[in-house]
């Protein structure tokens, strides 16, 4: 009995010590047992991914995906982590040659990548998005995604309604960090990402996006988070605003005008997030070494 209490006391002391140490170093109070080693970064469009691939000097892995898929993978080290960027490639099925945006390629590419790399600690979905002015979004803002949901999967049969909306909480990233901590430390905004297969929107979409309490809108996040859930891999959504959904400019014009600037902003945001999630592990390890 006494030894049990002592054990609990020393565990509590250890927790307080690690917590205080983490505070002193400005790190998070989230404890973790293993540092992040393997990160997948899923980015839908080549133009969004290119500056980041270049910045990290990642190399194309030609045989990463099955040869009959259009997806691309680039890999390389970043600090102690191995980073694999996957993109959805270009459309060959309809012979348009544009980027394979939307939920179908996103879910499939994510699934195949997680199957290929079962040791993945965390998957980051980085990309552009529309932002809602009513939730404080401005062009260029970076959002950390607290949850995802669909706004264009309307199935008015009671049992199917929650499946259609497909809400997933993405505010905790395994034991590594939380959306709140990340947003606080890196000074990014927080909010729900609503996903649909259209760049524009209908009045019906509007109602569902409002019901989803969306701060940002994209075409992939909820699908990528769904594949992550199948593998129980933490999903971290990082979205840069290219256009304002509830603003006065047509989405496509604003999107094209801001795509380059937003991709460059992603190139700054992504390494900061990677450093953050790798750093947390280092701090914890140091704290344990000190004991
Ligand atoms: N004309 C573009 C089409 C891009 S589709 C082209 O050059 O190919 C839009 C992409 O940006 C998707 O990957 C989506 O996730 C994201 N996106 C940016 N703003 C969006 C918005 N307002 N609504 C939905 N998706 C948006």
């Amino acid at each position: 009995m006494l030894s049990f209490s002592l054990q609990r006391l020393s565990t509590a002391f250890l927790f307080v010590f690690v917590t205080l140490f983490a505070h002193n170093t400005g790190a998070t109070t989230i404890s973790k047992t293993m540092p992040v080693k393997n990160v997948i970064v899923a980015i839908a469009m080549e133009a969004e991914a290119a500056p980041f691939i270049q910045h990290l000097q990642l190399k194309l892995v030609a045989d990463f995906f099955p040869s009959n898929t259009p997806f691309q993978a680039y890999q390389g080290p970043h600090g102690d982590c191995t980073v694999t960027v996957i993109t959805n490639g270009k459309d060959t099925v309809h012979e348009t040659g544009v980027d394979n945006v939307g939920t179908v390629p996103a879910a499939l590419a994510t699934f195949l990548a997680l199957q290929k790399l079962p040791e993945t600690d965390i998957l980051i979905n980085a990309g552009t998005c529309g932002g809602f002015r009513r939730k404080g979004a401005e062009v260029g803002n970076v959002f950390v995604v607290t949850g995802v949901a669909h706004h264009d999967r309307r199935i008015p049969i009671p049992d199917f309604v929650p499946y259609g909306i497909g809400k997933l909480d993405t505010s905790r990233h395994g034991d590594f960090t939380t959306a709140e901590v990340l947003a606080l430390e890196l000074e990014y905004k927080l909010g729900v990402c609503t996903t649909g297969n259209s760049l524009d929107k209908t009045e019906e979409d509007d109602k569902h996006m409002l019901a989803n309490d969306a701060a940002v809108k994209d075409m992939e996040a909820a699908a990528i988070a769904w594949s992550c859930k199948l593998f129980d891999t933490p999903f971290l959504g990082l979205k840069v605003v290219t256009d304002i959904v509830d603003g006065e400019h047509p989405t496509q014009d604003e999107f094209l005008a801001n795509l380059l600037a937003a991709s460059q902003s992603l190139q700054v945001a992504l390494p900061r997030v990677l450093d953050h999630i790798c750093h947390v592990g280092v701090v914890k390890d140091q704290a344990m070494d000190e004991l």
Side-chain angles (χ1 to χ4, degrees), residues 78-174:
H78 177 69
D80 288 341
C81 293
T82 298
V83 178
T84 307
V85 170
I86 58 168
T87 67
N88 295 348
K90 303 290 185 183
D91 167 43
T92 50
V93 172
H94 307 289
E95 299 177 1
T96 63
V98 302
D99 292 280
N100 284 311
V101 297
T103 57
V104 173
L108 184 56
T110 303
F111 185 93
L112 291 171
L114 289 172
Q115 195 174 43
K116 178 98 178 176
L117 301 176
E119 303 294 303
T120 300
D121 296 306
I122 187 164
L123 184 141
I124 301 174
N125 168 218
T128 56
C129 65
F132 290 86
R133 184 170 287 165
R134 63 173 178 251
K135 298 296 261 181
E138 291 164 30
V139 169
N141 282 170
V142 179
F143 275 80
V144 184
V145 175
T146 53
V148 296
H150 294 269
H151 57 258
D152 63 353
R153 299 205 312 183
R154 296 178 300 277
I155 314 168
I157 303 169
D159 283 353
F160 283 76
V161 171
Y163 164 75
I165 297 167
K167 217 174 243 185
L168 289 172
D169 179 355
T170 64
S171 62
R172 291 194 68 85
H173 313 119

Side-chain angles (χ1 to χ4, degrees), residues 44-45 48 98-99 101-102 128-131 196 198-200 217-220 239 242-243 245 251 255-256 259:
M45 298 177 65
E48 293 168 335
V98 302
D99 292 280
V101 297
T128 56
C129 65
S198 300
L199 182 62
D200 64 4
K217 164 179 180 277
D218 84 339
M219 298 173 67
E220 292 89 14
K239 298 278 159 179
T242 42
D243 50 87
V245 184
T251 298
F255 172 81
L256 290 173
L259 179 59

